Structure formats: structure tokens, C-alpha cells
Amino acid sequence: MVFRNISMACAAALVIMSPTSRASADAGDFVAGAVVGVVGSALVRNSQRKQTRTVTRSTRNYNSAARAENRQIQTSLNYFGFPAGTPDGVMGRNSRAAVSTYQAHMGYAATGQLTQFEKDFLLTSYNRALAGGAATNQLIATNPQGSRGLLLQYRDQQAAGGSVLAVAPAVTPAAPATTTVVVAPQVQPAPTPAPAGVATLVATPAQPGAALPSFFGSATETTSLTSHCNQISLLTSSNGGFATQATMTDANFALNEQFCLARTYAVSQGEDLISKVQGFTPEQIAAQCKGFGATLSTLAASVSQKPRAAVSQDVSSFVQTSGMAPAQLAGTSKICLSVGYRTDDMNVAIGSALLLSVLGEAPYGELLGHHLAQGIGAAKRPDLAKDWYESALSTVESGVTPVFAPGQPERTALLRKATLNLGAAATTATAPQVQPVSALPTFKVEN
């Protein structure tokens, strides 16, 4: 539940447990039973009574829906030969291992946490296979990899422009009409205008992107990062896996691959923290993070206008006037970074990455380099991007554990090579002053 008028001295004394194994400097930042502060007190005050009465029921409904979806995921994994165990709706060790195996088979990053695209592809492929009936069984029987090979066929057909849901007409000439009736109602092709609900997942000019020009100016692109990473994932799969330092032929594409990989890790880390938050549903947390992003909008805008050193100085001033302990602010930023990427709200994502980059976690600066290099959520400024990359990479090279893909030590050398020809940093116009935060509501987190 929401705690009113909580003492900041008590809040500052509590910290939240880190979702990943980090450098020893981070070990004391997060422990069980922390209180994570989130900007947006007005949102909380206006809905405190309603949340107090409904939070238990909302959490129960969310958990029920999540478990139902998890059972579908487990059933689909089992069908395609990735043993997830009994479909009980609990994503335990076996299920996470099955997810990692599925991701590796498809050429995705084997994180054990499904991205939205990876999950949608798995579930729709399962529905497609069931709709195919005997024709699907014939395909599996003739494929050297069995049901796993069927996934690769579906992937290649999608990459070539085919529908994930349509059963191949060449297999059974009489099947297309029946297949359309069974499968099409589940996911419809995106018509114009888009059906209700789609715009909340994939940005359109009327959704998150529409607000960005007021922050960044006409030079800012409104590309959906979710859609962008889905396309990159397909190309990576078609190429047989991620580019390495030895195989890289297109530096920009390699940076895009690593951008989307870092995004996946950021979402996973934040979701682990969200699971420890007491008294709020994920939807309520997302609403709070939206207010958090609005508070940071001026700082987010300055990334496209000022060099890294000047932006970092402004962010440091914000931290000092926030009235919040650095560990609390870092925990909040990790949660909201995840929410920003999951909801395609670049204002939230960039603002959160900025805070983390100056709160002793410089490797998060890599994200800012990616945003500036690709022009997603910020004006395309490769000259400014290079300094953010340099700060993040030099920190990792000094011995700090990487934030993203810590099990891939060669990744730093790849990023070095890919960023070698980016433009030099340049100083541009300054951004308006950031106003201090007057109040900070809190979330209670349990281990």
C-alpha cells in the first residue's frame, strides 16, 4: 500500500536488492525490505483511497492472468521440444532453462526472460502448428530437427514477408480456408487505423512519439524501439546469430544488435525488482514511472543538446535536490528504465538511464550512446554518442562488472570496434534548468 508522509530519513536508510550480480560497490546498495521512491506524488495522492481498497484484488487478478499466460508459454515450449516441465504457470528453473534453450535455438540472446516479440512468436507459432493438424505432423516428421525445425521454418517464412499465423498453402491445398477461420481471430494484421490495444504496444504517431517533438524538436525520430528491435532480431536470426568482432561487416547494424540486447537485459532486471514491490500492481508502477519520466523530461531533452559532461552535471544537481537517497533513486531508475523500454516510453527510459549513469553506474551510459547514435527517443547525434560510449566502455575495461550480458566479455571489444568511427563530441545549446522535486512517494519492497 502507499505510505503517506513517510520519513525520508527512514526511507534513505533502506535499500533494495540488486537483480543481477554486480560489482562489489553495488552489493550494499540493495537489500531485502527496501523502500524504493518514485517521483509522481500527485498521482499517488489522487488515488490513495482507491488503491487501498482494490490493490489485493488487482494483484490477484494480475497473478491469475500471468499464470495463465505462463501455462501457455510452458505448453508451447514443451510442444517444440524445449522441456519446461508441467505447465503449472510458475516460471521456475526448468521453464527458464527451456526459455534460454529456445532463445539460443532461434538466435536470440539466451537470457531466460522472453521479450514481447519472442513470446508472441512462440505462442503464435504454437497456434499455427495446432491449426495445421496432420499437415503439421508431416512437416515435423520430415524435418531433421523435428518440431524445433518447424520454428525455424516459421521464422524464415516470416522474414520473407509471410504471416506467422498462416499455415503454408503448399502443404495442404484444401487447408487455407479452414486455417483462416481457426487462426485469424487470434491476431489480426495491423489495418489502418490500428485496432484498439495495438497502439499501446507498438508506438504510432498518435502515441508516445507524438509527445517527443515538444522535447527534442523536429529532428527527433518517433521510431518505436520495440518495433525496431523486432526487425533487428529477425535479421540477426537470418544471419545465424549476433555479429562478433571478427565477423562484423556493418558497424551500425552491430550497434543496433547490442542496443536491443541491452534493452532486453534492462527490461529483465527491472521486472525482477518489480516482483519485489509490495502494494502496487505492475500497471500502477507503470503509471508512477510515467510521472517519473515527466519530471525528467528536461534532462532527457538535454541529451540531444549538450555534451555528456554538461548533462551529467545537471543530473547531479537534480539528484542533490531530489531529497532521495542515491540507492533509492538508483532502484527507482532501474524499475522505470524497464517500464520505459517495455512500454516504449523513451522519455522514461532515457531519464532513468541518465540517473543511473551518474549514480555510480557508468555502464548504463551505453544506452544513451545507442539512443543518440540511432536517433531513437533523441535527436540523432553520433558526435555526442561517442562520449557516452567511451565513458561506459572505459568503466567496464577498468574492471567493473558489465551491466548488460556480463557473461560475454568479448562484447566490450565489439562495441569499441563498432563505435570507432562515430563523430567527435561537440557542444551545443544548453537546456532549461531542472526544477527540484517537492515530494517522493514510496513503494515497499520485500525479498
Side-chain angles (χ1 to χ4, degrees):
M1 60 181 293
V2 180
F3 295 88
R4 301 181 60 186
N5 300 324
I6 188 167
S7 168
M8 291 310 299
C10 293
L14 297 175
V15 291
I16 183 171
M17 180 172 291
S18 173
T20 57
S21 177
R22 298 292 311 281
S24 59
D26 294 336
D29 287 349
F30 306 103
V31 295
V35 174
V36 179
V38 176
V39 176
S41 57
L43 292 173
V44 179
R45 287 197 301 270
N46 292 337
S47 60
Q48 282 175 336
R49 294 180 180 177
K50 181 178 178 181
Q51 289 173 352
T52 300
R53 292 194 300 268
T54 63
V55 66
T56 300
R57 183 170 55 191
S58 298
T59 302
R60 185 186 303 117
N61 292 339
Y62 168 77
N63 290 338
S64 176
R67 291 194 67 163
E69 182 179 73
N70 287 342
R71 282 193 292 270
Q72 294 177 354
I73 292 172
Q74 291 167 326
T75 299
S76 301
L77 289 169
N78 287 333
Y79 179 87
F80 287 113
F82 307 106
T86 303
D88 56 5
V90 178
M91 299 297 287
R93 181 184 303 174
N94 290 341
S95 296
R96 295 302 179 196
V99 168
S100 294
T101 306
Y102 157 68
Q103 290 172 318
H105 176 71
M106 299 301 296
Y108 309 140
T111 64
Q113 299 282 346
L114 290 170
T115 65
Q116 189 66 43
F117 171 77
E118 293 165 358
K119 178 176 65 178
D120 289 346
F121 180 79
L122 174 66
L123 296 180
T124 53
S125 295
Y126 173 68
N127 291 328
R128 173 182 178 178
L130 292 184
T136 298
N137 293 335
Q138 181 181 358
L139 286 174
I140 293 175
T142 58
N143 194 299
Q145 298 186 61
S147 57
R148 292 190 180 190
L150 193 61
L151 275 176
L152 298 179
Q153 289 185 13
Y154 292 165
R155 179 202 67 189
D156 294 342
Q157 290 169 6
Q158 184 182 23
S163 171
V164 177
L165 300 177
V167 177
V171 178
T172 52
T178 301
T179 300
T180 302
V181 173
V182 174
V183 181
Q186 298 175 19
V187 178
Q188 299 179 358
T192 303
V198 173
T200 61
L201 297 177
V202 179
T204 66
Q207 290 295 321
L212 294 179
S214 63
F215 299 138
F216 302 123
S218 59
T220 303
E221 297 182 15
T222 58
T223 304
S224 158
L225 182 56
T226 299
S227 177
H228 177 74
C229 286
N230 287 346
Q231 296 175 27
I232 293 297
S233 181
L234 281 174
L235 292 173
T236 298
S237 298
S238 300
N239 293 339
F242 285 86
T244 66
Q245 185 181 8
T247 63
M248 182 182 71
T249 58
D250 184 336
N252 189 61
F253 182 73
L255 286 177
N256 273 299
E257 286 187 319
Q258 296 305 316
F259 187 7
C260 295
L261 177 63
R263 171 185 174 272
T264 298
Y265 271 87
V267 170
S268 177
Q269 291 166 356
E271 288 180 344
D272 184 62
L273 286 176
I274 289 172
S275 69
K276 299 179 174 67
V277 174
Q278 292 183 325
F280 287 89
T281 66
E283 291 78 13
Q284 291 167 335
I285 291 175
Q288 296 255 352
C289 285
K290 188 173 183 64
F292 188 64
T295 302
L296 298 172
S297 61
T298 301
L299 290 174
S302 70
V303 170
S304 302
Q305 303 166 340
K306 303 166 68 174
R308 184 187 64 82
V311 175
S312 297
Q313 184 176 357
D314 290 342
V315 177
S316 296
S317 298
F318 173 87
V319 171
Q320 293 170 7
T321 59
S322 69
M324 196 180 212
Q328 281 186 294
L329 200 52
T332 295
S333 298
K334 288 177 181 177
I335 287 176
C336 289
L337 178 65
S338 172
V339 170
Y341 281 144
R342 179 169 54 82
T343 62
D344 238 342
D345 190 329
M346 297 299 99
N347 221 29
V348 174
I350 291 176
S352 300
L354 269 173
L355 286 175
L356 288 166
S357 69
V358 301
L359 286 169
E361 306 204 39
Y364 281 94
E366 177 193 327
L367 296 173
L368 300 165
H370 288 313
H371 281 285
L372 289 165
Q374 304 307 324
I376 297 179
K380 192 169 186 178
R381 293 292 304 272
D383 57 323
L384 297 179
K386 188 169 186 178
D387 204 13
W388 287 105
Y389 280 128
E390 174 60 32
S391 174
L393 296 178
S394 60
T395 299
V396 173
E397 289 168 343
S398 70
V400 173
T401 302
V403 172
F404 312 116
Q408 301 177 21
E410 69 282 358
R411 183 173 180 269
T412 301
L414 170 65
L415 287 170
R416 275 284 184 204
K417 183 177 180 180
T419 59
L420 188 62
N421 295 322
L422 287 175
T427 303
T428 58
T430 60
Q433 284 291 321
V434 179
Q435 297 299 321
V437 182
S438 58
L440 298 173
T442 60
F443 290 145
K444 185 176 181 181
V445 178
E446 65 176 2
N447 190 10

